[in-house]
Amino acid sequence: MVWQPPSPRVQDLIRQCAQIVLNPRPEWLDEYDGAVLAANPTIAADPELAAAIVRSNHANLFFWGTANLRDPGAPVPPNTGPEPLSIARELVRRGITEFPVDAYRVGEGVAWRRLMEIAFELTSDPAELHEMLDVCSKSISAFVDATLAGIAAQIDLERDDLTRGTHAERRETVALLLGGAPIPRQRAEVRLGHALTGTHTAAVIWSEDSAGDLSGLDRAAEAFGQDCGDQRPLSVLASTATRWVWAAGGADVQHGFQALIRAAGDLPSVRIAIGPAADGLDGFRRSHFDAITTQQMMARLHSTHQIAQFADVELVALTTADPDRAAEFVNRNLGGLETADRELQETVRVFVIEQCNASRAAARLYLHRNTLLRRLARADELLPRPLSENSVAVAVALDVLRWRGKATG
């Protein structure tokens, strides 16, 4: 493409536009991120990949804005920095062969609409607007095309690198097992160094800080194995900051995941989703898929909990599969209780769990029975329907709130 420099006046307008792009309002970025993730539910359900896509798109905005601040209207080279290229690494390590172009194209569309709004705020002259928008349209399109080409090339390099070594063999074997391929059990066990008979408990362990020290993932995996009675759990590198882990056996019901809880206390950026203990090769698969479901729920709700077990969140995971309908369900059944203090919410939740037995609920909460009853009376004032008529739905809605982070509300 032959570049024709824009007029001095339009160069000045583009420079002003770039300054605004480099200092975006928070609501602009929220709209941008929401549209990008909504375009690809597979990405949105994976917290690590979703965060990488968001970082990459923000980096592209900054890159394009900086280039046009420096030389308004000039061709912008592709962004080959660490953020977009990390996308290639994450996709390949997940076995995703098709690059999710939609995520970038949707981001391009949102950015272009915002840029047009900025342009109309900067000038009302038809000739200036025509020239400015024509230059910016070509600039953004060429920039995104070149950046996508760079990521595609990096994907090829990452794929070549990943198909060598023992990690690739373990990852390939696990993919075959999870996909139900007819691979002989003994052959799979040799390749994995892990027995596929007996009881299995799966976990997905990941870090929300993929640029930080990732050794904590391995420590968490070891602690998880310790709780299950397996000193050498199978750990597969699912991506840069995610481990798929299987331990032989299951955690003691009475003591639970005590070693893992202690380890997580020293690893604030680490999150753990745990499947149920299950037997045999089918259990190997089922426990893993349930752990994945748990991880996706934690990501969908922006949960601040570090550890979640599928047995504790199965109903919440089903209820929140459609986030918009889940929000409506919570609001419809809780009314004013949705925004009440956590103490009152927890009192109601425990009361229902204890089968609406005030004495047992008071003992569990270390409350005087009269204090419990006063709180329940207050809750009834806030609820759309009396608790006695709608206790199950109220308890489910409160459980959703318990797992939901502030970012969703």
Side-chain angles (χ1 to χ4, degrees):
M1 183 184 298
V2 177
W3 175 62
Q4 295 294 333
S7 64
R9 169 57 180 161
V10 167
Q11 287 185 25
D12 182 59
L13 289 172
I14 293 175
R15 182 180 288 108
Q16 292 180 55
C17 178
Q19 288 175 330
I20 296 173
V21 169
L22 291 173
N23 296 279
R25 298 174 185 170
E27 59 268 26
W28 291 358
L29 291 180
D30 290 343
E31 177 194 11
Y32 187 56
D33 297 341
V36 168
L37 295 179
N40 197 315
T42 301
I43 291 176
D46 184 323
E48 187 183 351
L49 189 55
I53 287 285
V54 167
R55 286 196 303 271
S56 178
N57 278 302
H58 288 193
N60 286 338
L61 279 177
F62 186 81
F63 192 95
W64 186 88
T66 300
N68 277 280
L69 190 64
R70 183 177 56 249
D71 192 359
V76 180
N79 182 7
T80 56
E83 293 87 1
L85 296 188
S86 70
I87 296 296
R89 185 175 300 111
E90 300 308 330
L91 291 172
V92 171
R93 289 183 175 178
R94 285 164 171 75
I96 300 174
T97 57
E98 294 296 326
F99 180 72
V101 174
D102 285 351
Y104 273 73
R105 292 303 183 194
V106 169
E108 178 185 354
V110 173
W112 172 242
R113 288 195 299 274
R114 185 63 63 188
L115 187 144
M116 284 195 291
E117 292 177 6
I118 295 171
F120 277 89
E121 291 173 359
L122 294 175
T123 180
S124 58
D125 182 275
E128 291 177 353
L129 280 170
H130 182 276
E131 183 182 358
M132 178 184 177
L133 293 176
D134 182 60
V135 171
C136 288
S137 174
K138 294 176 181 176
S139 173
I140 292 174
S141 179
F143 167 66
V144 172
D145 287 346
T147 298
L148 288 175
I151 294 175
Q154 188 67 19
I155 285 177
D156 292 338
L157 294 175
E158 292 290 339
R159 187 178 293 114
D160 289 342
D161 182 63
L162 196 63
T163 52
R164 295 188 291 269
T166 57
H167 162 73
E169 187 174 77
R170 286 201 306 272
R171 183 70 174 80
E172 179 188 18
T173 303
V174 163
L176 291 171
L177 291 172
L178 295 178
I183 179 174
R185 179 179 58 80
Q186 291 181 333
R187 180 186 175 194
E189 289 177 336
V190 170
R191 296 179 72 176
L192 295 174
H194 180 83
L196 295 173
T197 54
T199 301
H200 306 279
T201 305
V204 179
I205 302 174
W206 74 101
S207 174
E208 292 189 331
D209 181 14
S210 59
D213 180 8
L214 301 179
S215 62
L217 298 175
D218 298 320
R219 296 201 301 275
E222 291 170 4
F224 169 71
Q226 180 182 334
D227 281 325
C228 294
D230 186 350
Q231 299 304 312
R232 294 187 60 192
L234 170 64
S235 181
V236 174
L237 183 66
S239 69
T240 303
T242 301
R243 305 287 185 271
W244 289 350
V245 185
W246 286 263
D252 179 82
V253 175
Q254 182 177 358
H255 298 98
F257 291 94
Q258 294 301 313
L260 185 57
I261 291 171
R262 288 193 298 271
D266 297 326
L267 304 167
S269 66
V270 171
R271 300 287 181 267
I272 305 104
I274 304 170
D279 295 331
L281 182 54
D282 184 59
F284 179 90
R285 298 188 189 100
R286 190 168 66 252
S287 185
H288 172 74
F289 290 134
D290 287 345
I292 290 290
T293 296
T294 304
Q295 181 200 28
Q296 291 174 343
M297 183 219 73
M298 295 172 75
R300 186 166 60 243
L301 299 184
H302 303 278
S303 178
T304 57
H305 293 253
Q306 272 194 279
I307 303 174
Q309 298 183 58
F310 179 75
D312 296 331
V313 304
E314 182 176 6
L315 186 55
V316 174
L318 289 170
T319 304
T320 60
D322 183 329
D324 291 336
R325 295 191 66 182
E328 292 173 4
F329 171 82
V330 169
N331 182 262
R332 185 170 61 250
N333 286 282
L334 295 187
L337 187 59
E338 181 179 3
T339 55
D341 62 78
R342 288 298 179 94
E343 185 178 60
L344 182 58
Q345 293 174 352
E346 185 65 4
T347 298
V348 176
R349 193 183 72 85
V350 171
F351 176 69
V352 177
I353 289 174
E354 291 297 339
Q355 299 178 323
C356 299
N357 184 301
S359 297
R360 287 204 304 264
R364 180 167 172 175
L365 291 165
Y366 301 100
L367 292 175
H368 191 281
R369 191 173 186 275
N370 288 341
T371 302
L372 176 83
L373 293 176
R374 283 196 298 272
R375 290 184 184 176
L376 293 176
R378 172 59 180 155
D380 260 340
E381 294 174 359
L382 298 172
L383 289 167
R385 295 168 56 192
L387 181 61
S388 59
E389 298 177 6
N390 196 36
S391 59
V392 173
V394 168
V396 173
L398 288 172
D399 218 18
V400 171
L401 283 188
R402 192 165 68 97
W403 287 97
R404 189 172 74 180
K406 292 182 180 179
T408 64

